[in-house]
Amino acid sequence: IRRIGLGLLLVLLALGWAGRAQQALEGTIPAPALPTGLDWLNSERPLTLEDLRGKVVILDFWTYGCINCIHIIPDLERLEREFADELVVIGVHSAKFAQEGETDNIRNVVLRYGLEHPVVNDRDFEVWRTWGARAWPTTAVIDPAGNVVGAHEGEGVYGVLQPVILSLVNEFAESGELDTDPIDFSLEREGLPQRSLSFPGKVHADPAQDRLFVADTNHHRVVTARISGGEVLGVYGSGVAGFADGAASQAQFDQPQGIALDPDGGVLYVADTGNHAVRTVDLATGEVGTLAGTGVQGRFPPAGGTGTEVALHSPWDVTLAGETLHVAMAGSHQLWTIDVATAVAAPFAGNGRESTRNGPAGEAELAQPSGVTLGEGRLYFADSESSSIRFVDLAEGTVDVLAGSDANLFDFGDEDGVGTEARLQHPLGVSWYGGVLYVADTYNSKLKAIDPTTGEVTTLFGGEAGWRDGTDPRFYEPGGLHVVDGVAYVADTNNHVVRMVDLATGEASTLLLTGAERFTPAGAAREVVDAGAVTVAPGAGSIVLDVTLPTGHKVNEDAPSSVTWTVGGGIAGLDVTDLTGTELPAVIPVEWSAGSGTLAGDLTLIWCADDAESLCFIEQLGLTAQATVADGGAAEVRFRHEITLPEL
């Protein structure tokens, strides 16, 4: 075999390219041109394969809810680092779910997983059909001369593609056809505002202790805050992705998701998804440990084991019953149990094949379970890729469907109804409370309730994706929820916040976290706007927040913008200023009295496009000035700040 790997050759044959397989061995199949008129991300303009002549090109066919697609991201990143000057990866996003076909939603996922290569929205499957792709993920290789080399289906991408790419690099370098000039792409993350939370995935509430635990997923940490007011009490994890135990500020997580609290309230169990591990946090000391997992994804078929010797597969959620931790093992399409006393871990339901088969737990087939909760003898789980809610009868040891279709993996939608007549779209979160099962119907941006006796599904809150508090709230792909004492605490993932919904009144509010910067490692603090030393005259005056938003944007009229002031010296009457829906620049009346001191504020500004309040951003800044109140001074203190967006 000349340049094509055996795996790539076999996939060409399987795709019906028998005649072309021989051509591929000879390097003579021109790669089909990429269609025009498609939306591109991480690139300031549409790319063509002609633009990339001289580079090795990988096309990565993926869809963002697919766990197998997520699994190959580290492999692609490793190849991009190893062949930084010779290789270009293009993500071809061919959506399974309707929600996944929207460019703005894909942009959020590009940001969530830190993708640094161009991504094209193949919403109508034009590129998919041209290449004969059959499964997510599929990767295809194009040589520097613009010819097809081969394709690979499934995970294990690095081991298959690396030797092929190395061979191509050597061959075309020798012939002088290799282009090693670096290409700088315009990344979506450039110019975006800082946030206290970034794509929070799951939450766990402890109202008895006035504590809320948040998986701050894209900051690779777990945050503890007061439910009353949002003050951050602790942060576990350095904020840098990695796999390390130790003190709170030194330990490392990678895309943590589900959280469970032990009955004594002293230990957290965390589904550390990107590390394929379950971690522990000692809340008394802040020490982070590892209960189970090696830090590396396990091989198939999945096998149980003990502690740090057992390899797990993208644990996404956890719930605790006594000393048994139930784990939604999304990556192996199973439910597992871990004995927290002995660290013995083993599959509990699901045979590892992805499908909708019900029956005895060990023979059932699940589809990326991503949320778990216990209720009256059942372990309920959000079976995200089948868009259904299923359960294990713990007495009978059987799996069945409660709501949503169990016909196949493509039967999804947004319809209330009973049992298998109802339709959901990629739900990720479930919570049992008061005899009712509550569901975060993620891709429909809704919260729903299910009667566990009849399977009847009822929409409670949400609708069009967006951000709105009050009695008609909007959410944006909520990934997790925990219902306690009549309140639903919601990880509103794409809005980067935690929402609280009073189930009795239907009133929704946003819990904005403050003070997280106190736990930020040195050198990584948030931005502070310093007005410097100013002198103001005694009497009536003002503070001016001279903040400039990008053209076509405004402060959101339904989300809680505010500034919390800390003052010293000759300033009176400042505490919290409500800025919800304010026009900028904002003028805040102040009564200055003689003296001097520090004027400091924590500004949270939630802003969005004029014509699309679903597209919201959070700007969180520190404000500071050294103020002296004396005759002859000015009437105001002015803080100037400009917010910009990257060119999209």
Side-chain angles (χ1 to χ4, degrees):
I1 296 177
R2 179 171 173 262
R3 286 192 276 104
I4 187 170
L6 179 59
L8 303 181
L9 175 64
L10 292 176
V11 170
L12 282 178
L13 293 170
L15 293 175
W17 287 22
R20 301 187 188 184
Q22 179 59 40
Q23 290 179 281
L25 293 176
E26 301 166 358
T28 58
I29 304 179
L34 297 173
T36 59
L38 303 182
D39 293 340
W40 285 78
L41 301 168
N42 278 348
S43 179
E44 60 186 8
R45 61 182 177 83
L47 296 176
T48 69
L49 295 181
E50 188 64 33
D51 294 334
L52 302 175
R53 192 62 58 87
K55 301 286 188 184
V56 179
V57 177
I58 293 176
L59 300 183
D60 170 33
F61 292 88
W62 66 299
T63 186
Y64 71 71
C66 159
I67 192 67
N68 309 97
C69 302
I70 296 169
H71 282 165
I72 75 166
I73 291 174
D75 280 1
L76 294 174
E77 291 175 342
R78 183 178 177 186
L79 290 170
E80 289 174 298
R81 290 193 300 270
E82 190 170 332
F83 300 101
D85 297 330
E86 302 91 358
L87 173 68
V88 172
V89 176
I90 296 177
V92 181
H93 191 276
S94 307
K96 171 184 174 180
F97 293 97
Q99 178 77 355
E100 293 176 338
E102 299 298 323
T103 299
D104 286 328
N105 299 334
I106 301 169
R107 177 177 290 112
N108 272 312
V109 172
V110 167
L111 294 169
R112 188 182 309 179
Y113 291 109
L115 303 185
E116 296 186 350
H117 54 253
V119 174
V120 61
N121 184 0
D122 184 34
R123 62 162 57 91
D124 295 321
F125 284 73
E126 294 179 72
V127 187
W128 177 281
R129 287 193 298 270
T130 299
W131 282 81
R134 305 177 306 173
W136 298 282
T138 293
T139 45
V141 181
I142 302 167
D143 72 18
N147 294 312
V148 176
V149 176
H152 170 74
E153 291 178 346
E155 301 182 26
V157 166
Y158 180 83
V160 173
L161 299 189
Q162 194 276 347
V164 175
I165 296 170
L166 180 60
S167 174
L168 291 170
V169 167
N170 290 336
E171 177 180 337
F172 282 87
E174 185 175 344
S175 67
E177 300 174 78
L178 188 68
D179 178 5
T180 58
D181 291 336
I183 300 178
D184 293 324
F185 294 111
S186 178
L187 302 183
E188 300 300 316
R189 67 168 180 257
E190 293 171 358
L192 289 180
Q194 301 175 54
R195 302 179 172 100
S196 288
L197 299 175
S198 180
F199 297 102
K202 302 286 186 183
V203 292
H204 186 98
D206 180 21
Q209 298 295 320
D210 192 24
R211 296 185 298 183
L212 182 73
F213 303 99
V214 185
D216 190 8
T217 304
N218 246 50
H219 284 150
H220 311 290
R221 62 186 188 176
V222 176
V223 175
T224 307
R226 292 193 190 281
I227 294 173
S228 58
E231 178 192 358
V232 173
L233 302 174
V235 172
Y236 309 99
S238 68
V240 177
F243 185 45
D245 292 340
S249 62
Q250 305 299 317
Q252 292 179 310
F253 295 88
D254 189 347
Q255 298 273 328
Q257 289 281 347
I259 301 170
L261 179 65
D262 80 333
D264 295 330
V267 177
L268 286 182
Y269 297 94
V270 182
D272 192 8
T273 307
N275 279 323
H276 309 283
V278 173
R279 312 292 291 283
T280 59
V281 179
D282 185 319
L283 295 173
T285 66
E287 192 78 9
V288 175
T290 300
L291 176 66
T294 64
V296 177
Q297 183 186 353
R299 296 180 178 273
F300 280 81
T306 302
T308 55
E309 296 178 356
V310 60
L312 307 181
H313 300 255
S314 296
W316 207 278
D317 199 12
V318 289
T319 191
L320 187 64
E323 292 192 338
T324 299
L325 190 71
H326 293 276
V327 183
M329 202 70 72
S332 60
H333 311 292
Q334 293 175 310
L335 303 176
W336 281 48
T337 60
I338 303 176
D339 186 311
V340 298
T342 65
V344 172
F348 169 64
N351 61 17
R353 291 189 289 272
E354 183 180 18
S355 190
T356 59
R357 179 182 178 183
N358 296 314
E363 301 173 12
E365 295 175 357
L366 317 183
Q368 202 171 310
S370 302
V372 285
T373 189
L374 287 157
E376 295 183 356
R378 291 177 171 180
L379 179 67
Y380 294 96
F381 60 97
D383 205 44
S384 62
E385 280 295 289
S386 69
S387 293
S388 66
I389 304 301
R390 301 167 75 182
F391 66 89
V392 181
D393 186 308
L394 297 176
E396 299 292 333
T398 56
V399 172
D400 205 349
V401 64
L402 177 66
S405 177
D406 61 352
N408 55 60
L409 300 180
F410 294 85
D411 211 357
F412 58 86
D414 184 10
E415 298 177 25
D416 289 353
V418 177
T420 56
E421 298 302 313
R423 291 292 178 270
L424 308 170
Q425 189 177 184
H426 202 83
L428 290 176
V430 287
S431 183
W432 172 273
Y433 173 74
V436 178
L437 189 67
Y438 294 90
V439 178
D441 191 7
T442 305
Y443 284 4
N444 287 323
S445 293
K446 291 183 175 182
L447 303 186
K448 298 182 177 181
I450 305 179
D451 184 320
T453 303
T454 65
E456 183 175 3
V457 177
T458 304
T459 296
L460 298 178
F461 309 102
E464 180 183 353
W467 185 348
R468 184 165 65 207
D469 286 340
T471 55
D472 184 20
R474 292 289 182 264
F475 307 90
Y476 193 176
E477 291 196 9
L481 80 165
H482 187 208
V483 183
V484 189
D485 294 348
V487 177
Y489 300 85
V490 183
D492 196 4
T493 304
N494 284 2
N495 279 328
H496 310 284
V497 290
V498 173
R499 314 287 294 285
M500 300 184 297
V501 185
D502 186 314
L503 298 178
T505 66
E507 187 83 14
S509 60
T510 300
L511 181 64
L512 294 175
L513 305 190
T514 60
E517 67 277 2
R518 293 185 292 117
F519 302 92
T520 303
R526 64 176 178 163
E527 186 173 357
V528 175
V529 178
D530 189 349
V534 294
T535 301
V536 291
S542 62
I543 297 173
V544 180
L545 303 181
D546 190 0
V547 179
T548 303
L549 297 178
T551 302
H553 290 76
K554 64 180 181 180
V555 178
N556 188 292
E557 297 172 357
D558 300 301
S561 296
S562 65
V563 57
T564 301
W565 299 100
T566 303
V567 297
I571 304 164
L574 282 177
D575 184 12
V576 177
T577 304
D578 184 7
L579 299 175
T580 302
T582 191
E583 293 187 5
L584 296 172
V587 179
I588 302 169
V590 176
E591 187 71 24
W592 305 111
S593 57
S596 63
T598 299
L599 170 65
D602 291 307
L603 172 65
T604 297
L605 203 62
I606 302 168
W607 52 282
C608 58
D610 288 338
D611 57 352
E613 291 197 359
S614 64
L615 303 177
C616 281
F617 302 90
I618 307 176
E619 189 82 358
Q620 293 182 303
L621 300 168
L623 307 174
T624 187
Q626 295 299 315
T628 298
V629 181
D631 292 336
E636 68 179 35
V637 175
R638 183 175 292 262
F639 294 95
R640 290 185 174 87
H641 179 68
E642 182 178 2
I643 299 173
T644 61
L645 277 177
E647 294 294 330
L648 301 179

